[in-house]
Amino acid sequence: MKRLLLAVFSLLALCLVAAGCGQSQNAGGGSANPAKAIKVGATAVPHAEILEIVKPILAKDGINLEIVEFSDYVQPNLALNDKELDANFFQHEPYLLNFVEEHKEVKLKNAAGIHIEPMGIYSRRVTSLKDLPLGASIAIPNDPTNGGRALLLLEKAGLITLKEGVKEKATVADVTKNDLGIKFNEVEAAQVPRTLEDVDAAIINTNYAMQIDLVPTKDALFMEDSTSPYVNIIAVREGDENRPEIQALIKAVKSDEVKKFIEDKYKGAVVPAF
């Protein structure tokens, strides 16, 4: 009888030890091997839409992707620099380089080029650039890189001439020839589409054009071609580019599945750069 009681007590002791070990491994009710997570900031179209396709791809690798949407071009970089995000996906490299130059405290870099969004010239008032009147008002983005990009597009369309060598750093002050006497309305990039009813033409980034149901390949009077250097990128903090989660994100965004989605969904308005 004593031997039986001793065996029972020994078994109970082993159970308590095992339970204690299990409790320490799952303190707070969590899993012993919690899923990895990554938080990426993006503008809605097409970046967040593309990331929605990426989400289940990363889930297969045990990575939970959280998409944080932004409606401007400033906060995503500040949030990434402040470690509120792990990466962002909304800008091209010229914009990022200019942003870093203007914000000395920001330490971000290009981790991967993903796609090109051709900038276009749109109008509610004319159906051809030849129909623009003297003194035409044209809205352009007011940030340095997209503003310069818009002016380069106007030059390529034959509407203005810029000072030699200014390239993407061009400003309205660098316009040396303006036969139409174009009046430039400089506004924040996200607000340019809202000016369409009030100006003769507007130069709009593709992501914002698509948000108001403008299809660049159909509705733009003139647009950038495939030679555009403005590839949209995934940006990260300096030193984070080799993090396993970041590398997994890049691999997923550059997958054949995502490439097909871009080609089928945007039909030339967004062009894969991989």
Side-chain angles (χ1 to χ4, degrees), residues 24-52:
S24 65
Q25 289 174 353
N26 295 280
S31 170
N33 297 295
K36 297 177 182 178
I38 186 169
K39 187 182 293 187
V40 180
T43 44
V45 181
H47 306 85
E49 292 180 343
I50 292 171
L51 290 176
E52 288 292 348

mmCIF file of all heavy atoms in Angstrom, residues 24-52:
data_model
loop_
_atom_site.group_PDB
_atom_site.id
_atom_site.type_symbol
_atom_site.label_atom_id
_atom_site.label_comp_id
_atom_site.label_asym_id
_atom_site.label_seq_id
_atom_site.Cartn_x
_atom_site.Cartn_y
_atom_site.Cartn_z
ATOM 1 N N SER A 24 5.987 28.223 -17.978
ATOM 2 C CA SER A 24 7.068 29.165 -18.186
ATOM 3 C C SER A 24 7.328 29.405 -19.667
ATOM 4 O O SER A 24 7.712 30.485 -20.074
ATOM 5 C CB SER A 24 8.351 28.660 -17.512
ATOM 6 O OG SER A 24 8.800 27.455 -18.126
ATOM 7 N N GLN A 25 7.101 28.403 -20.485
ATOM 8 C CA GLN A 25 7.325 28.557 -21.917
ATOM 9 C C GLN A 25 6.229 29.357 -22.582
ATOM 10 O O GLN A 25 6.421 29.951 -23.631
ATOM 11 C CB GLN A 25 7.406 27.175 -22.595
ATOM 12 C CG GLN A 25 8.686 26.414 -22.252
ATOM 13 C CD GLN A 25 8.659 25.015 -22.815
ATOM 14 O OE1 GLN A 25 7.648 24.563 -23.348
ATOM 15 N NE2 GLN A 25 9.763 24.306 -22.653
ATOM 16 N N ASN A 26 5.061 29.398 -21.962
ATOM 17 C CA ASN A 26 3.927 30.079 -22.573
ATOM 18 C C ASN A 26 3.388 31.153 -21.634
ATOM 19 O O ASN A 26 2.194 31.327 -21.475
ATOM 20 C CB ASN A 26 2.802 29.092 -22.898
ATOM 21 C CG ASN A 26 3.209 28.079 -23.947
ATOM 22 O OD1 ASN A 26 3.202 28.383 -25.129
ATOM 23 N ND2 ASN A 26 3.584 26.886 -23.518
ATOM 24 N N ALA A 27 4.317 31.830 -20.924
ATOM 25 C CA ALA A 27 3.897 32.850 -19.969
ATOM 26 C C ALA A 27 2.996 33.863 -20.638
ATOM 27 O O ALA A 27 3.259 34.309 -21.745
ATOM 28 C CB ALA A 27 5.129 33.550 -19.392
ATOM 29 N N GLY A 28 1.921 34.257 -19.931
ATOM 30 C CA GLY A 28 0.984 35.224 -20.479
ATOM 31 C C GLY A 28 0.055 34.626 -21.485
ATOM 32 O O GLY A 28 -0.673 35.332 -22.165
ATOM 33 N N GLY A 29 0.063 33.314 -21.646
ATOM 34 C CA GLY A 29 -0.867 32.664 -22.574
ATOM 35 C C GLY A 29 -0.386 32.685 -24.007
ATOM 36 O O GLY A 29 -1.088 32.316 -24.925
ATOM 37 N N GLY A 30 0.888 33.168 -24.249
ATOM 38 C CA GLY A 30 1.375 33.261 -25.609
ATOM 39 C C GLY A 30 1.916 31.944 -26.100
ATOM 40 O O GLY A 30 2.075 30.982 -25.357
ATOM 41 N N SER A 31 2.252 31.927 -27.394
ATOM 42 C CA SER A 31 2.819 30.725 -27.996
ATOM 43 C C SER A 31 4.312 30.676 -27.742
ATOM 44 O O SER A 31 4.979 31.697 -27.639
ATOM 45 C CB SER A 31 2.540 30.736 -29.513
ATOM 46 O OG SER A 31 3.258 29.720 -30.159
ATOM 47 N N ALA A 32 4.844 29.479 -27.642
ATOM 48 C CA ALA A 32 6.287 29.335 -27.453
ATOM 49 C C ALA A 32 7.026 29.808 -28.695
ATOM 50 O O ALA A 32 8.172 30.221 -28.626
ATOM 51 C CB ALA A 32 6.626 27.874 -27.167
ATOM 52 N N ASN A 33 6.408 29.768 -29.860
ATOM 53 C CA ASN A 33 6.989 30.221 -31.111
ATOM 54 C C ASN A 33 6.025 31.191 -31.800
ATOM 55 O O ASN A 33 5.340 30.828 -32.758
ATOM 56 C CB ASN A 33 7.274 29.024 -32.042
ATOM 57 C CG ASN A 33 8.309 28.094 -31.433
ATOM 58 O OD1 ASN A 33 9.456 28.469 -31.244
ATOM 59 N ND2 ASN A 33 7.878 26.889 -31.112
ATOM 60 N N PRO A 34 5.927 32.426 -31.284
ATOM 61 C CA PRO A 34 4.978 33.382 -31.849
ATOM 62 C C PRO A 34 5.308 33.721 -33.300
ATOM 63 O O PRO A 34 6.472 33.708 -33.701
ATOM 64 C CB PRO A 34 5.145 34.617 -30.945
ATOM 65 C CG PRO A 34 6.533 34.491 -30.392
ATOM 66 C CD PRO A 34 6.739 33.027 -30.216
ATOM 67 N N ALA A 35 4.282 34.028 -34.078
ATOM 68 C CA ALA A 35 4.476 34.380 -35.481
ATOM 69 C C ALA A 35 5.235 35.696 -35.579
ATOM 70 O O ALA A 35 5.046 36.596 -34.772
ATOM 71 C CB ALA A 35 3.118 34.500 -36.172
ATOM 72 N N LYS A 36 6.120 35.809 -36.565
ATOM 73 C CA LYS A 36 6.839 37.052 -36.801
ATOM 74 C C LYS A 36 5.875 38.059 -37.419
ATOM 75 O O LYS A 36 4.921 37.687 -38.089
ATOM 76 C CB LYS A 36 8.015 36.792 -37.736
ATOM 77 C CG LYS A 36 9.062 35.843 -37.149
ATOM 78 C CD LYS A 36 10.166 35.574 -38.151
ATOM 79 C CE LYS A 36 11.189 34.591 -37.593
ATOM 80 N NZ LYS A 36 12.245 34.273 -38.578
ATOM 81 N N ALA A 37 6.152 39.343 -37.193
ATOM 82 C CA ALA A 37 5.273 40.384 -37.721
ATOM 83 C C ALA A 37 6.111 41.471 -38.367
ATOM 84 O O ALA A 37 7.250 41.728 -37.963
ATOM 85 C CB ALA A 37 4.404 40.956 -36.609
ATOM 86 N N ILE A 38 5.540 42.115 -39.381
ATOM 87 C CA ILE A 38 6.194 43.232 -40.046
ATOM 88 C C ILE A 38 5.129 44.268 -40.399
ATOM 89 O O ILE A 38 4.047 43.925 -40.881
ATOM 90 C CB ILE A 38 6.970 42.763 -41.302
ATOM 91 C CG1 ILE A 38 7.779 43.904 -41.903
ATOM 92 C CG2 ILE A 38 6.056 42.130 -42.326
ATOM 93 C CD1 ILE A 38 8.764 43.438 -42.970
ATOM 94 N N LYS A 39 5.435 45.523 -40.117
ATOM 95 C CA LYS A 39 4.485 46.613 -40.352
ATOM 96 C C LYS A 39 5.027 47.500 -41.471
ATOM 97 O O LYS A 39 6.138 48.035 -41.366
ATOM 98 C CB LYS A 39 4.287 47.419 -39.066
ATOM 99 C CG LYS A 39 3.201 48.480 -39.150
ATOM 100 C CD LYS A 39 3.082 49.280 -37.853
ATOM 101 C CE LYS A 39 2.581 48.415 -36.711
ATOM 102 N NZ LYS A 39 2.309 49.242 -35.491
ATOM 103 N N VAL A 40 4.230 47.652 -42.540
ATOM 104 C CA VAL A 40 4.682 48.397 -43.714
ATOM 105 C C VAL A 40 3.699 49.531 -44.016
ATOM 106 O O VAL A 40 2.502 49.316 -44.137
ATOM 107 C CB VAL A 40 4.808 47.475 -44.950
ATOM 108 C CG1 VAL A 40 5.288 48.277 -46.159
ATOM 109 C CG2 VAL A 40 5.763 46.324 -44.657
ATOM 110 N N GLY A 41 4.224 50.740 -44.153
ATOM 111 C CA GLY A 41 3.402 51.896 -44.516
ATOM 112 C C GLY A 41 3.297 52.017 -46.024
ATOM 113 O O GLY A 41 4.258 51.746 -46.753
ATOM 114 N N ALA A 42 2.120 52.433 -46.522
ATOM 115 C CA ALA A 42 1.916 52.533 -47.968
ATOM 116 C C ALA A 42 0.782 53.501 -48.280
ATOM 117 O O ALA A 42 -0.113 53.698 -47.466
ATOM 118 C CB ALA A 42 1.587 51.157 -48.554
ATOM 119 N N THR A 43 0.844 54.122 -49.449
ATOM 120 C CA THR A 43 -0.314 54.850 -49.954
ATOM 121 C C THR A 43 -1.274 53.830 -50.552
ATOM 122 O O THR A 43 -0.870 52.729 -50.938
ATOM 123 C CB THR A 43 0.106 55.902 -50.996
ATOM 124 O OG1 THR A 43 1.060 55.332 -51.904
ATOM 125 C CG2 THR A 43 0.742 57.109 -50.325
ATOM 126 N N ALA A 44 -2.537 54.219 -50.646
ATOM 127 C CA ALA A 44 -3.600 53.245 -50.935
ATOM 128 C C ALA A 44 -3.447 52.534 -52.278
ATOM 129 O O ALA A 44 -3.508 51.306 -52.350
ATOM 130 C CB ALA A 44 -4.960 53.928 -50.852
ATOM 131 N N VAL A 45 -3.286 53.313 -53.350
ATOM 132 C CA VAL A 45 -3.260 52.736 -54.699
ATOM 133 C C VAL A 45 -1.977 53.167 -55.399
ATOM 134 O O VAL A 45 -1.654 54.361 -55.441
ATOM 135 C CB VAL A 45 -4.469 53.226 -55.519
ATOM 136 C CG1 VAL A 45 -4.476 52.620 -56.918
ATOM 137 C CG2 VAL A 45 -5.785 52.911 -54.795
ATOM 138 N N PRO A 46 -1.203 52.229 -55.930
ATOM 139 C CA PRO A 46 -1.438 50.787 -55.939
ATOM 140 C C PRO A 46 -0.727 50.041 -54.807
ATOM 141 O O PRO A 46 -0.853 48.834 -54.674
ATOM 142 C CB PRO A 46 -0.849 50.374 -57.284
ATOM 143 C CG PRO A 46 0.356 51.255 -57.413
ATOM 144 C CD PRO A 46 -0.057 52.583 -56.805
ATOM 145 N N HIS A 47 0.039 50.789 -53.997
ATOM 146 C CA HIS A 47 0.955 50.146 -53.051
ATOM 147 C C HIS A 47 0.259 49.232 -52.045
ATOM 148 O O HIS A 47 0.656 48.070 -51.860
ATOM 149 C CB HIS A 47 1.776 51.214 -52.343
ATOM 150 C CG HIS A 47 2.482 52.134 -53.274
ATOM 151 N ND1 HIS A 47 1.873 53.255 -53.821
ATOM 152 C CD2 HIS A 47 3.731 52.088 -53.801
ATOM 153 C CE1 HIS A 47 2.732 53.858 -54.625
ATOM 154 N NE2 HIS A 47 3.865 53.173 -54.635
ATOM 155 N N ALA A 48 -0.765 49.754 -51.367
ATOM 156 C CA ALA A 48 -1.474 48.931 -50.384
ATOM 157 C C ALA A 48 -2.181 47.756 -51.065
ATOM 158 O O ALA A 48 -2.257 46.660 -50.506
ATOM 159 C CB ALA A 48 -2.479 49.778 -49.602
ATOM 160 N N GLU A 49 -2.683 47.985 -52.276
ATOM 161 C CA GLU A 49 -3.343 46.903 -53.018
ATOM 162 C C GLU A 49 -2.341 45.787 -53.335
ATOM 163 O O GLU A 49 -2.668 44.599 -53.238
ATOM 164 C CB GLU A 49 -3.956 47.449 -54.306
ATOM 165 C CG GLU A 49 -5.128 48.384 -54.075
ATOM 166 C CD GLU A 49 -5.721 48.912 -55.376
ATOM 167 O OE1 GLU A 49 -5.051 48.832 -56.420
ATOM 168 O OE2 GLU A 49 -6.865 49.403 -55.340
ATOM 169 N N ILE A 50 -1.149 46.172 -53.713
ATOM 170 C CA ILE A 50 -0.108 45.180 -54.009
ATOM 171 C C ILE A 50 0.268 44.418 -52.739
ATOM 172 O O ILE A 50 0.428 43.191 -52.748
ATOM 173 C CB ILE A 50 1.132 45.861 -54.621
ATOM 174 C CG1 ILE A 50 0.792 46.403 -56.019
ATOM 175 C CG2 ILE A 50 2.322 44.894 -54.697
ATOM 176 C CD1 ILE A 50 1.867 47.281 -56.631
ATOM 177 N N LEU A 51 0.374 45.136 -51.631
ATOM 178 C CA LEU A 51 0.735 44.492 -50.363
ATOM 179 C C LEU A 51 -0.335 43.515 -49.886
ATOM 180 O O LEU A 51 -0.023 42.537 -49.196
ATOM 181 C CB LEU A 51 1.005 45.548 -49.294
ATOM 182 C CG LEU A 51 2.289 46.366 -49.485
ATOM 183 C CD1 LEU A 51 2.392 47.451 -48.423
ATOM 184 C CD2 LEU A 51 3.526 45.469 -49.463
ATOM 185 N N GLU A 52 -1.586 43.758 -50.248
ATOM 186 C CA GLU A 52 -2.647 42.807 -49.887
ATOM 187 C C GLU A 52 -2.409 41.455 -50.561
ATOM 188 O O GLU A 52 -2.739 40.403 -50.008
ATOM 189 C CB GLU A 52 -4.024 43.361 -50.279
ATOM 190 C CG GLU A 52 -4.523 44.505 -49.407
ATOM 191 C CD GLU A 52 -4.859 44.070 -47.988
ATOM 192 O OE1 GLU A 52 -4.938 42.852 -47.715
ATOM 193 O OE2 GLU A 52 -5.037 44.962 -47.132
#
